[in-house]
Amino acid sequence: LVSKWRQKEKLKTTSVALVLCLNIGVDPPDVIKISPCARLECWVDPMSAQPAKALEHIGKNLQAQYERWQPRAKYKMHLDPTVEDVKKLCLSCRRNAKNERVLFHYNGHGVPRPTANGEIWVFNSRYTQYIPLSIYELQSWLGTPSIYVLDCSAAGLIINAIRQLMDQRSNDALRGMAGMYAGAGAGSSGAPDHLKEIIVLGACGAGEQLPQNPDLPADVFTACLTTPIKVALRWFCSRSLMRHDGLTKDLTDRIPGKQTDRKTPLGELNWIFTAITDTIAWNVLPRPLFQKLFRSDLLVASLFRNFLLAERIMTAAGCTPVSYPRLPPTHQHPMWQAWDLAAEMCLVQLPTLSSDQQAEFTPSSECWQLSRGESYWRCNSSGVCSCWVGERWGCRCPAMTGIVVRCRKTTGNTGITGCRYDEPGHWF
């Protein structure tokens, strides 16, 4: 069983291209902003400083947010670029990455939405015109394997164009092989494999506009992908009755601890969030797709886990994030209830922890809560556990989720195994 889950060849994202088209102070012609509206970009208010300084600050924050997930990658950035700037950036990143994956992040909040022909927008050298950039050109510069993160309105138009590009090249390749079938030899094996190594994450569908809810950052999609715990807690706080008891967004931003230390509030929440999103993905995805997206490239796995959060938050705000390969809807998965409970049980301790440095944090893991009764869990012979949510067996939790699933026979229930989440070697 273990050998089936081990990838023979793993890709790494070794080069990251960050492109921000914000044009601070000038709204795109196809956007009518409400008042008040979302303003924060990478947790920076663009109006808090001169446009050039604010843009530079936002760019540095975006790079730092990505470095949290992939510190060893080489990062290159262009702020309010021209077509030639983007071309040089992409070609440089591909040279650095060689045969590894390149990530292309595009923030198009200061330019018009993409066109139906699959074009995004950049600027001319004097910033007096918007210049279209075809996704086909972009892909030819970036090559494969690659992953695109598109934080702009109507991002689904670009995904449609990429899908058409892949279909066209596959058909061309198949026609070419049919023409030389007689002398093809052993090298012919169907459509080009490299076309399968294009991944896209988009902020919203082809006919949708980014949310302007002032309770969310303007780049809520990027925030979900790169700072998931912060945006998840802020969103939870805005919807929870706890906000009437002194719990503020500023307080949630100061949650103590490190994400890598599970003994701290921030570390525990990060651990629980990872386990829950992994479990949701395991439940809804075909096994080959789960392997490709969640068990091959560490950065891609992190982005897709966080993409599930983006779908939950942005669907509630009236738009639906999209992806290629397409994922089924997960925003109503019952395991989100476990996250809400874990967040609440952690945040309820936050006022005390902030005011009293001697106060100790009490772990509040939902998994530990479930482990108090063996009847919540059952396992099959392959080691896959089902958990009881509401009034049915609502999800399946693989042992590969980062938390340890331990199972043993329960008395009086033939064929049923009781499963518990806990530390290695310890039972609660």
Side-chain angles (χ1 to χ4, degrees):
L1 180 64
V2 173
S3 62
K4 293 181 181 179
W5 282 96
R6 286 179 177 166
Q7 295 274 23
K8 294 181 179 179
E9 297 181 2
K10 290 189 176 183
L11 288 172
K12 292 185 294 184
T13 301
T14 59
S15 195
V16 178
L18 305 175
V19 173
L20 283 79
C21 297
L22 293 178
N23 200 17
I24 295 174
V26 180
D27 292 336
D30 59 351
V31 173
I32 300 177
K33 290 190 175 180
I34 63 175
S35 181
C37 69
R39 295 177 64 176
L40 298 181
E41 300 276 357
C42 295
W43 305 106
V44 175
D45 186 346
M47 302 304 172
S48 62
Q50 293 296 321
K53 290 185 177 180
L55 182 60
E56 183 180 357
H57 190 187
I58 291 169
K60 288 181 178 178
N61 275 17
L62 178 61
Q63 179 172 331
Q65 289 170 196
Y66 268 108
E67 286 175 341
R68 158 69 179 84
W69 305 102
Q70 180 53 286
R72 297 183 178 180
K74 293 183 178 180
Y75 290 83
K76 295 193 175 184
M77 181 189 316
H78 258 300
L79 308 175
D80 289 350
T82 64
V83 172
E84 190 62 27
D85 291 333
V86 176
K87 180 178 180 178
K88 291 179 180 178
L89 178 68
C90 293
L91 293 176
S92 175
C93 287
R94 174 47 61 194
R95 281 196 303 270
N96 291 334
K98 297 181 181 178
N99 295 324
E100 299 287 0
R101 181 174 280 118
V102 176
L103 184 146
F104 181 86
H105 179 102
Y106 174 76
N107 179 320
H109 296 181
V111 293
R113 69 183 63 190
T115 69
N117 294 327
E119 297 166 317
I120 58 176
W121 297 91
V122 290
F123 302 96
N124 66 354
S125 59
R126 296 183 179 181
Y127 300 100
T128 57
Q129 289 182 323
Y130 301 112
I131 306 298
L133 171 58
S134 169
I135 191 66
Y136 307 126
E137 284 188 292
L138 185 63
Q139 197 278 323
S140 69
W141 302 333
L142 209 60
T144 57
S146 56
I147 175 171
Y148 298 80
V149 176
L150 306 173
D151 192 342
C152 58
S153 295
L157 291 172
I158 301 300
I159 289 185
N160 293 342
I162 289 178
R163 188 179 291 112
Q164 292 174 4
L165 171 66
M166 296 174 69
D167 291 344
Q168 178 183 346
R169 291 190 177 178
S170 296
N171 292 335
D172 290 346
L174 289 173
R175 282 197 297 268
M177 285 188 295
M180 58 182 180
Y181 179 81
S188 300
S189 58
D193 288 337
H194 69 274
L195 293 176
K196 302 175 183 178
E197 293 301 334
I198 296 178
I199 298 172
V200 190
L201 298 175
C204 53
E208 297 178 340
Q209 186 172 334
L210 293 172
Q212 299 186 36
N213 186 340
D215 291 331
L216 300 172
D219 65 341
V220 59
F221 184 65
T222 296
C224 288
L225 295 184
T226 58
T227 57
I229 303 301
K230 182 173 183 176
V231 70
L233 294 181
R234 277 181 162 234
W235 186 71
F236 177 82
C237 180
S238 68
R239 297 162 59 90
S240 171
L241 294 176
M242 295 174 67
R243 67 183 186 275
H244 301 305
D245 298 327
L247 184 64
T248 64
K249 293 179 181 178
D250 292 337
L251 193 59
T252 60
D253 289 345
R254 299 197 304 269
I255 188 168
K258 297 180 180 180
Q259 291 195 4
T260 54
D261 185 359
R262 275 181 48 195
K263 296 181 180 179
T264 64
L266 185 59
E268 187 193 51
L269 284 176
N270 183 62
W271 174 72
I272 294 173
F273 178 84
T274 300
I276 286 175
T277 49
D278 240 12
T279 299
I280 292 173
W282 165 268
N283 274 271
V284 302
L285 296 182
R287 296 299 171 259
L289 186 58
F290 179 85
Q291 247 186 316
K292 175 181 178 180
L293 301 181
F294 289 82
R295 290 296 179 268
S296 177
D297 184 321
L298 291 178
L299 179 58
V300 170
S302 298
L303 291 177
F304 267 93
R305 279 195 294 265
N306 301 342
F307 178 81
L308 302 185
L309 173 70
E311 188 205 344
R312 189 188 191 206
I313 291 178
M314 297 182 71
T315 298
C319 69
T320 307
V322 290
S323 68
Y324 183 86
R326 181 181 176 275
L327 303 187
T330 60
H331 60 280
Q332 293 183 327
H333 195 282
M335 279 301 289
W336 285 119
Q337 299 172 24
W339 165 252
D340 290 339
L341 178 59
E344 181 175 347
M345 296 183 72
C346 182
L347 291 176
V348 75
Q349 303 178 60
L350 200 52
T352 302
L353 293 172
S354 299
S355 59
D356 183 4
Q357 296 185 353
Q358 302 299 322
E360 293 186 2
F361 171 65
T362 303
S364 55
S365 167
E366 164 68 359
C367 295
W368 294 338
Q369 296 296 321
L370 288 175
S371 70
R372 293 177 181 174
E374 290 190 359
S375 60
Y376 282 110
W377 301 92
R378 66 184 182 185
C379 279
N380 62 23
S381 59
S382 300
V384 176
C385 303
S386 300
C387 63
W388 185 262
V389 179
E391 297 180 350
R392 61 191 179 91
W393 295 104
C395 63
R396 296 189 298 170
C397 312
M400 290 76 77
T401 55
I403 47 181
V404 178
V405 180
R406 301 190 65 195
C407 306
R408 65 182 180 187
K409 289 283 186 178
T410 55
T411 57
N413 292 296
T414 304
I416 300 297
T417 306
C419 305
R420 297 179 170 188
Y421 282 134
D422 67 349
E423 299 279 2
H426 295 80
W427 283 87
F428 288 91

